[in-house]
Amino acid sequence: MITIDHLTKRYGAQVAVSDVSFSCQPGTVTGFLGPNGAGKSTTLRSLVGLATPTSGTATIAGRRYADLPNAGRQVGVLLDAGAQHAGRTGREVLSLSAMVLGVGPERVDEVLGRVGLAGRPAGKRLGNYSLGMRQRLGLATALLGDPQVLVLDEPANGLDPEGIFWMRGLLRGFADRGGTVLLSSHLLHEIEAVADQLVVISGGRIVAQGSKDELLAGKGTLVRGPDRALLDRALQAAGIAVSPGPEDALLADADALAVGQAVAAAGVVLTELRPAGGEGLEGLFRSLTGHAGAGQQVEEVLA
């Protein structure tokens, strides 16, 4: 189990994450989403001991990563697939990690086969690997110690469609066997396809979290009209709370009948009136963070 409890991280005067709290349960994949500089990478780095929280805690099975005995046997981590010596072969990289973790050479062969790098690819130097091959090797390294928890930052980056489908099955199978997966990705479609739980961060703070089904179901009524400001005033005058919706829409906190009656009474023209939801993860992301996904992708940098 992963537990982030009131985590705050400052770099001088800059607050990267502020009072962040969420948990990831065994048997689930949690999708961790946010726009550029939202604080995702800082949170993950704090969780695996690469950054020290200013306050709050980030624990795995109730302990800090640094306090876990032989942490690599309990937690598989992939934060940067390029962070390997380009002159070593894939097998050499895994063999060195296996010695550190105390696992046998047969496990190296097992994970190489599992990620599709057995045979000739295992003998190639990393300098000759494609980005997708590096990602597969990174996943192999994360899986090497047979951990119960996976912490992954952009694991599908560089994978082709077939590779993304393969990775989805790998993560789903890991969780279905009782593992815990925390997955950060800019590929919103893939998060939507594999995640059970969603955590959305924006500006260093959590703006939404819960089950995927619950968050994507939506609440209230989505409305559009030729005069957005007039529509907003009519709804608020009727006592209906209004918030910005996707693109030029408004999200009214009432059912469609109440919204329609209020608008009709005010004589305001509508071009769309329907229950909120049904726009998928990209629509949810856009409404929560104010960022549009280009081709269902949102870039991420270290916060």
Side-chain angles (χ1 to χ4, degrees), residues 11-276:
Y11 294 97
Q14 180 184 1
V15 180
V17 293
S18 178
D19 198 31
V20 166
S21 296
F22 65 90
S23 63
C24 308
Q25 303 294 329
T28 64
V29 177
T30 299
F32 191 31
L33 306 171
N36 246 6
K40 300 201 315 286
S41 293
T42 295
T43 302
L44 297 183
R45 289 170 62 83
S46 297
L47 177 63
V48 300
L50 296 177
T52 303
T54 303
S55 61
T57 58
T59 60
I60 299 166
R63 307 175 75 170
R64 295 186 312 149
Y65 183 87
D67 297 331
L68 292 170
N70 200 351
R73 298 292 294 269
Q74 300 182 56
V75 187
V77 180
L78 172 58
L79 299 186
D80 182 2
Q84 296 285 3
H85 195 297
R88 293 189 177 127
T89 68
R91 181 179 295 281
E92 287 171 347
V93 167
L94 288 180
S95 296
L96 287 169
S97 295
M99 287 190 288
V100 171
L101 295 177
V103 300
E106 68 281 354
R107 179 64 178 169
V108 172
D109 292 325
E110 182 181 341
V111 295
L112 281 169
R114 191 172 179 186
V115 302
L117 292 178
R120 290 184 61 188
K124 293 179 65 175
R125 298 188 186 279
L126 267 63
N128 296 319
Y129 270 25
S130 66
L131 178 56
M133 292 175 70
R134 286 176 177 264
Q135 291 291 84
R136 288 175 181 266
L137 184 65
L139 282 168
T141 304
L143 294 167
L144 187 62
D146 195 19
Q148 296 81 48
V149 175
L150 290 177
V151 179
L152 309 174
D153 192 6
E154 306 290 357
N157 190 24
L159 294 179
D160 60 19
E162 181 179 354
I164 291 173
F165 182 81
W166 159 82
M167 187 201 68
R168 185 196 307 169
L170 184 148
L171 299 183
R172 186 70 265 163
F174 183 91
D176 289 345
R177 292 189 296 272
T180 305
V181 181
L182 176 56
L183 170 65
S184 169
S185 177
H186 66 273
L187 298 174
L188 301 185
H189 177 72
E190 291 310 311
I191 290 284
E192 186 171 358
V194 75
D196 305 291
Q197 303 288 319
L198 299 173
V199 177
V200 185
I201 187 170
S202 183
R205 294 180 178 272
I206 302 298
V207 294
Q209 60 178 301
S211 74
K212 178 179 65 178
D213 292 342
E214 176 185 66
L215 291 178
L216 295 186
K219 296 179 180 179
T221 302
L222 188 141
V223 289
R224 283 187 174 90
D227 191 328
R228 190 173 188 268
L230 186 61
L231 178 57
D232 191 331
R233 289 196 296 271
L235 291 170
Q236 295 200 48
I240 298 174
V242 180
S243 60
E247 299 177 355
D248 60 342
L250 294 173
L251 186 61
D253 188 18
D255 62 31
L257 177 60
V259 170
Q261 290 174 334
V263 172
V268 177
V269 176
L270 283 182
T271 56
E272 185 174 6
L273 171 68
R274 62 177 174 83

Side-chain angles (χ1 to χ4, degrees), residues 2-13:
I2 295 172
T3 304
I4 310 293
D5 189 23
H6 298 289
L7 177 72
T8 295
K9 175 61 179 177
R10 296 186 179 90
Y11 294 97

